[in-house]
Amino acid sequence: MKLYGYWRSSAAYRVRIALALKGMAYESIPVHLVKDGGQQHQASYQELNPAELVPTLVDNELTLNQSLAIVEYLDAVQPEPALVPAEPKKVALVRAMALDIACDIHPLNNLRVLQYLTGPLQLTEQQKTAWIHHWLNTGFQALEQRLQQSAGRCCFGDAVSLADICLVPQVYNALRFGLDMTPYPTIQAIYQHCNSLAAFAQAAPEAQADAQ
Amino acid sequence: MKLYGYWRSSAAYRVRIALALKGMAYESIPVHLVKDGGQQHQASYQELNPAELVPTLVDNELTLNQSLAIVEYLDAVQPEPALVPAEPKKVALVRAMALDIACDIHPLNNLRVLQYLTGPLQLTEQQKTAWIHHWLNTGFQALEQRLQQSAGRCCFGDAVSLADICLVPQVYNALRFGLDMTPYPTIQAIYQHCNSLAAFAQAAPEAQADAQ
């Protein structure tokens, strides 16, 4: 398997966690999202992933984008440890929480959106930070409330799931942008627990060959 | 089952299509996203869905948010017609295309984001429309290219899948905001085909009791 990613991309980070948890070997191919105007926009990468986003997983004849689809694919071809439960109600709740992050928080604060805010819209650094914090706080408030129903050491009990795989990169991103995490003790505790596990350490941005 | 939704919400529209395709009966409970400062922010709804977004499905003791999680849940409890294929590679590609819309297009143009643009950021109507069209065009360009590999009368061959369930509400939204669809002939053909099916007609915003 080949994983096209970038050390600091939340979406690529999710896939690295899943690969590490499952102990699956892969070749990491860095796509620098800033250098050369963004290598994700080069024709060779665009052919692989028309959306010009990372990550992309190549597994023989399969070329697959979208981190959540990739993680569930890995879960199907290498079922241990399971990252989503088998029972319909349980898997639905895990997926919903993963999507709370992947649809309702992350897309608003990723690189291309921030570039539009400071480019065409000419927002100041202060306005940009307010935007980032607004969507992080909106999402984390809801998540902190939901976790009261489901959390143990992880988002759902004590076993790592797709929800934790989304949560950890999102918190990493929030800390990078200086968000005050004090209002979110449950989220913080899960973040700390997950990061004490070897697979999460191995998948961390700073542990990647292309980290700067 | 009870579905809390709003006639013009793309995410609620997706769930309505799935319910209609499967012929599942449900009680529709409108949550008006604009009236009274937005009924999704009222305490009774916030308790049901801490994110204060629609849709929410209630099925006995299960309270479930996130349209994609809901559609896959419906597919598990009522398997016919199947909305995702069984084979791991095939389901991964269907999910990826659904997420191309649900993560990379829709979250940037939904109501709360547009309210932030014209509220705190004081964008003009012209700037707001440019923002909407920018993200629609970015997403549709990639999608039109991907569909060359997979499309028949639907996104994947001739059978309706989760990808079509996401595509149709997104095109409806694009037309509402006056996007020129000429560059996307494959997307347009799929939109027209799907809308010729009874389930899509039944789920359309204008067919809902709360339509204005």
Side-chain angles (χ1 to χ4, degrees):
Chain A
M1 287 189 180
K2 292 179 185 177
L3 179 66
Y4 293 79
Y6 180 61
W7 66 291
R8 217 154 59 170
S9 152
S10 292
Y13 187 178
R14 293 174 196 152
V15 176
R16 291 196 305 262
I17 296 169
L19 287 162
L21 284 165
K22 291 176 178 295
M24 296 171 85
Y26 65 100
E27 183 189 351
S28 177
I29 304 177
V31 179
H32 200 296
L33 298 188
V34 182
K35 207 165 63 181
D36 313 326
Q39 294 175 347
Q40 72 278 25
H41 303 306
Q42 291 174 354
S44 57
Y45 188 74
Q46 211 273 347
E47 199 176 337
L48 207 62
N49 186 339
E52 305 175 15
L53 294 168
V54 292
T56 306
L57 183 83
V58 177
D59 184 19
N60 294 309
E61 78 283 14
L62 177 69
T63 299
L64 187 60
N65 69 314
Q66 288 295 347
S67 57
L68 269 59
I70 295 172
V71 172
E72 292 223 32
Y73 171 71
L74 296 174
D75 216 35
V77 296
Q78 175 88 21
E80 295 297 327
L83 300 177
V84 296
E87 200 276 318
K89 284 189 173 63
K90 287 184 182 165
V91 63
L93 291 169
V94 170
R95 283 187 183 136
M97 192 174 287
L99 291 162
D100 285 339
I101 298 166
C103 291
D104 294 343
I105 305 178
H106 175 251
L108 294 162
N109 291 344
N110 74 0
L111 178 66
R112 60 183 195 160
V113 172
L114 303 183
Q115 284 173 337
Y116 193 98
L117 293 176
T118 54
L121 294 181
Q122 299 194 285
L123 258 57
T124 63
E125 275 302 305
Q126 198 180 358
Q127 284 176 310
K128 186 182 92 171
T129 302
W131 165 280
I132 293 169
H133 287 189
H134 174 77
W135 298 115
L136 284 168
N137 280 319
T138 302
F140 282 172
Q141 278 160 21
L143 216 50
E144 181 72 20
Q145 188 177 334
R146 270 190 224 286
L147 286 167
Q148 306 313 308
Q149 309 294 320
S150 68
R153 292 194 295 174
C154 297
C155 290
F156 290 86
D158 292 334
V160 171
S161 74
L162 180 63
D164 305 286
I165 287 175
C166 291
L167 184 64
V168 167
Q170 191 59 67
V171 174
Y172 172 89
N173 171 280
L175 294 172
R176 180 180 155 216
F177 285 112
L179 190 79
D180 174 15
M181 291 294 295
T182 318
Y184 315 115
T186 315
I187 293 175
Q188 280 188 286
I190 294 167
Y191 181 71
Q192 279 154 22
H193 169 67
C194 287
N195 277 335
S196 73
L197 305 174
F200 282 80
Q202 195 182 327
E206 284 70 22
Q208 306 315 304
D210 60 329
Q212 290 174 330
Chain B
M1 287 188 181
K2 293 178 185 176
L3 179 67
Y4 293 79
Y6 180 61
W7 64 292
R8 214 156 58 172
S9 152
S10 292
Y13 188 179
R14 292 172 196 154
V15 176
R16 291 197 307 262
I17 296 168
L19 287 162
L21 284 165
K22 290 174 179 293
M24 296 170 85
Y26 65 101
E27 182 188 350
S28 177
I29 304 177
V31 179
H32 200 297
L33 299 187
V34 182
K35 206 165 62 179
D36 313 326
Q39 293 176 346
Q40 72 278 23
H41 304 305
Q42 290 175 356
S44 59
Y45 188 74
Q46 209 274 344
E47 201 177 334
L48 208 64
N49 187 339
E52 304 174 18
L53 295 167
V54 293
T56 305
L57 182 84
V58 178
D59 183 19
N60 294 308
E61 77 284 14
L62 177 71
T63 300
L64 187 61
N65 68 315
Q66 288 295 345
S67 57
L68 268 58
I70 296 172
V71 173
E72 291 223 33
Y73 171 71
L74 297 174
D75 216 36
V77 297
Q78 177 87 20
E80 295 295 327
L83 300 177
V84 295
E87 200 275 316
K89 285 189 172 64
K90 286 184 183 164
V91 64
L93 291 169
V94 170
R95 284 186 182 134
M97 193 174 285
L99 291 163
D100 285 339
I101 297 164
C103 292
D104 294 343
I105 305 178
H106 175 252
L108 295 162
N109 291 346
N110 74 358
L111 179 66
R112 60 183 195 160
V113 171
L114 302 183
Q115 285 173 336
Y116 193 99
L117 293 177
T118 54
L121 293 182
Q122 301 195 281
L123 258 57
T124 63
E125 276 301 307
Q126 197 179 359
Q127 284 176 308
K128 186 182 92 170
T129 301
W131 165 281
I132 293 169
H133 286 189
H134 174 76
W135 298 116
L136 284 168
N137 280 320
T138 302
F140 282 172
Q141 277 160 22
L143 217 51
E144 181 73 20
Q145 189 176 334
R146 270 190 224 287
L147 286 167
Q148 305 316 309
Q149 308 294 319
S150 66
R153 291 193 297 172
C154 297
C155 290
F156 290 87
D158 291 334
V160 170
S161 74
L162 182 61
D164 305 287
I165 286 175
C166 291
L167 184 64
V168 166
Q170 192 59 69
V171 174
Y172 172 88
N173 172 279
L175 294 172
R176 181 181 154 215
F177 286 111
L179 189 79
D180 173 16
M181 291 294 296
T182 318
Y184 315 116
T186 315
I187 293 175
Q188 280 189 286
I190 294 167
Y191 181 71
Q192 280 155 20
H193 169 68
C194 287
N195 278 337
S196 74
L197 306 174
F200 282 81
Q202 193 181 327
E206 282 70 21
Q208 306 313 304
D210 60 329
Q212 289 174 329

